[in-house]
Amino acid sequence: MVLKTFRWAFLVTAAGLAAGALYDGWAALGIVAILAVLEVSLSFDNAVINAGILKRMSAFWQTIFLTVGVLIAVFGMRLVFPVLIVAVTAKISPVRAVTLAIDDKDRYQQLVTDAHPSIAAFGGVFLLMIFLNFIFAEREITWHGRLERPLARLGKVEMLPVCVALIVLLVAAMTVATHAHQHGGGHADKAQTVLTAGVAGLITYLVVAGLSSFFENRIEEQEEAAEEEEAEEEEEAGKAQAAEAAKRKAPGNGGGGKGGGGNGAVAALTGKAAFFTFLYLEVIDASFSFDGVIGAFAITNDIVLMALGLGIGAMYVRSLTVYLVRQGTLDDFVYLEHGAHYAIGALAVILLVTIQYQISEIITGLVGVVLIGWSFWSSLRRNARIAREAERERVRAPDDGG
């Protein structure tokens, strides 16, 4: 199972390391390996979140996520995205940005660093919305019930996550954005830039998540209608069988089936929902990749090595996502999703803080690892407790029967 799921990640690793060595020798190979480890450590919570969404999709769309999605993640977010950010923020053509990335790497790094406030605001608000919509939702299983249950009750207030996100963005614009960190250690007032980028992140979340939710609701409606139609058909069939048994005569003519059309409609609608869910997954991945792309500049400013190293890491994150889905890990360890969402909330705050202050990628990665590790340990304790209770019930059952 592990080899089957991760085989493409292993192949991409070998190809990426070989390409790094051919590109600039053994030192480049080492940089590629370090960047791959950095990306995986920063994005483990991304894999858990993705798995929670991907498990609702068909095997076909899981394959699309591992193929087309990887191309988007590797070439789109790890190669094209930094170039586009430089082009937009520096108001130069993409061709000029590519030229800088190849011929003037220091200038390119400077432009990317100066664009960080807008990147952090967009990604921070998007990730914050994911966390808020999780923490304000009611659920049967809670990790920290004393915190989550009151927040779930508050979540009944309409548009509360949006209001909280806008308040956080406004506070960030009036505080850290007024002394935004720039290349060379300087600071500049980026309040307007942060506000614009943050609102863009909020709009992106509302549009993509809204479309995904719309089609999921349509799926549920179609499934309920199909179940009702099936129940009616079974009832009619039961009546027909009763009448046939009473008459004991020649078998009646069958009425033919309607189920094929209904199933086709559900399948087609599932395709639409899956497409927008896939799009939602890609935007989530983009938001998670911001800190990895920016953090990579602490190791190298060579865009080719960054694309190779971060691309390898992205492949492992995607393979890990599919592995979690196929193994049913999220069902067995029910607090993992909670831990991942708490890590998302922490990452959103860290991104907004980094508008002014530099925070080591080691700290960012450790926060996610600690929260997910804690949730995994809590899940193990819960499973052990349930097993003990089941054993006590099993032992007590014969006595009760006697």
Side-chain angles (χ1 to χ4, degrees):
M1 179 65 183
V2 173
L3 183 61
K4 181 180 178 181
T5 305
F6 286 87
R7 65 181 184 275
W8 285 109
F10 296 150
L11 289 173
V12 169
T13 300
L17 293 175
L22 292 173
Y23 175 74
D24 199 19
W26 293 106
L29 184 149
I31 291 172
V32 170
I34 292 170
L35 288 172
V37 174
L38 171 70
E39 177 69 6
V40 173
S41 65
L42 290 175
S43 300
F44 187 80
D45 47 354
N46 187 9
V48 177
I49 295 300
N50 286 352
I53 300 170
L54 196 65
K55 68 181 181 181
R56 302 199 302 266
M57 300 169 71
S58 67
F60 169 78
W61 280 99
Q62 291 178 14
T63 303
I64 292 293
F65 179 72
L66 268 177
T67 52
V68 177
V70 166
L71 293 177
I72 296 172
V74 174
F75 295 103
M77 288 309 304
R78 275 73 179 183
L79 186 61
V80 177
F81 172 73
V83 171
L84 290 178
I85 284 293
V86 169
V88 171
T89 56
K91 298 179 181 179
I92 59 177
S93 69
V95 175
R96 173 61 178 158
V98 172
T99 303
L100 286 175
I102 297 172
D103 298 333
D104 192 353
K105 297 172 184 176
D106 290 336
R107 174 60 179 162
Y108 177 79
Q109 179 179 353
Q110 175 184 342
L111 293 174
V112 172
T113 302
D114 291 345
H116 178 67
S118 57
I119 298 171
F122 181 96
V125 171
F126 187 92
L127 294 177
L128 183 63
M129 282 297 298
I130 295 175
F131 170 71
L132 292 175
N133 274 292
F134 177 85
I135 203 68
F136 284 132
E138 284 193 68
R139 50 184 38 84
E140 293 182 8
I141 298 174
T142 58
W143 184 22
H144 301 294
R146 293 182 180 179
L147 172 66
E148 294 174 13
R149 282 191 287 268
L151 290 176
R153 287 193 290 269
L154 284 175
K156 295 178 181 179
V157 177
E158 193 74 20
M159 301 299 288
L160 182 61
V162 175
C163 294
V164 173
L166 287 173
I167 291 171
V168 171
L169 176 62
L170 200 58
V171 170
M174 292 188 299
T175 54
V176 292
T178 58
H179 295 84
H181 174 76
Q182 298 289 277
H183 183 77
H187 293 84
D189 188 348
K190 294 282 186 176
Q192 184 176 351
T193 300
V194 166
L195 277 174
T196 302
V199 170
L202 177 62
I203 292 172
T204 301
Y205 175 86
L206 292 175
V207 169
V208 178
L211 286 172
S212 178
S213 177
F214 169 76
F215 283 106
E216 284 183 12
N217 291 336
R218 289 287 301 274
I219 287 176
E220 292 178 1
E221 292 173 2
Q222 289 288 329
E223 288 178 346
E224 289 175 1
E227 289 174 1
E228 291 176 1
E229 182 179 351
E230 184 179 351
E232 291 175 0
E233 289 178 354
E234 289 178 355
E235 184 178 352
E236 291 295 328
K239 291 179 180 178
Q241 289 175 0
E244 182 180 348
K247 293 178 180 179
R248 296 182 179 278
K249 290 185 178 182
N253 296 324
K258 295 180 181 178
N263 292 338
V266 172
L269 193 58
T270 302
K272 293 178 183 179
F275 170 76
F276 284 104
T277 303
F278 170 76
L279 182 61
Y280 179 47
L281 280 170
E282 291 305 314
V283 178
I284 291 176
D285 179 75
S287 299
F288 270 101
S289 70
F290 291 150
D291 60 332
V293 172
I294 298 300
F297 280 103
I299 298 170
T300 180
N301 55 11
D302 191 310
I303 191 172
V304 175
L305 296 181
M306 276 194 288
L308 289 173
L310 297 180
I312 291 172
M315 191 68 205
Y316 276 100
V317 171
R318 269 166 162 63
S319 297
L320 180 60
T321 297
V322 173
Y323 180 80
L324 292 174
V325 171
R326 293 176 180 172
Q327 289 292 99
T329 305
L330 299 185
D331 296 327
D332 295 335
F333 304 99
V334 295
Y335 296 139
L336 274 181
E337 278 194 89
H338 293 74
H341 279 89
Y342 278 102
I344 282 179
L347 178 58
V349 173
I350 288 172
L351 276 173
L352 294 174
V353 170
T354 57
I355 293 173
Q356 179 176 350
Y357 303 101
Q358 289 182 289
I359 297 178
S360 171
E361 291 74 29
I362 295 176
I363 296 176
T364 305
L366 281 177
V367 168
V369 170
V370 168
L371 286 170
I372 292 176
W374 183 10
S375 65
F376 179 75
W377 179 69
S378 298
S379 298
L380 287 175
R381 292 183 60 192
R382 175 183 182 272
N383 292 345
R385 185 180 67 252
I386 291 175
R388 287 195 302 270
E389 292 174 355
E391 179 64 19
R392 282 197 295 267
E393 289 295 326
R394 187 187 68 79
V395 171
R396 219 171 14 235
D399 297 336
D400 293 342

